[in-house]
Amino acid sequence: MHAYLITEKPGRIRRALRKTWSCAVRIAAVLTMGLLGLLVLAVRCTRPVVNYLAVRAVWLEAWASKVTGLPQVGAAVGEGLTEEFVREFRKAARPTEPAGSTR
């Protein structure tokens, strides 16, 4: 509580508006968390479908490569992506070094 020594206490309308604003912010926060939860649920539910489609795409590419005699493109792209992910992971996992380090 404030000690209203110099100015008068806020009126009823101002207090009601402040309470309404506080309530609206809390409701917005709860709705935001709920929407993010639904988004996470949707991503988790579609993950098995995406994995299945990826396996089928790899199988189809292998079959097409065998039939046409052309090399598989996905393997080369996937290998490059994997190397990049590993490099980024190792960079992030490395603890921060002191300022005078020569590494």
Side-chain angles (χ1 to χ4, degrees), residues 57-58 61-62 65 71-82:
V58 168
E61 183 184 20
S65 174
Q72 293 182 7
V73 178
V77 172
E79 181 183 7
L81 285 174
T82 302

Side-chain angles (χ1 to χ4, degrees), residues 35-51:
L35 289 175
L36 287 174
L38 287 174
L39 178 67
V40 168
L41 179 66
V43 168
R44 288 181 152 235
C45 289
T46 58
R47 188 173 176 188
V49 175
V50 171
N51 286 343

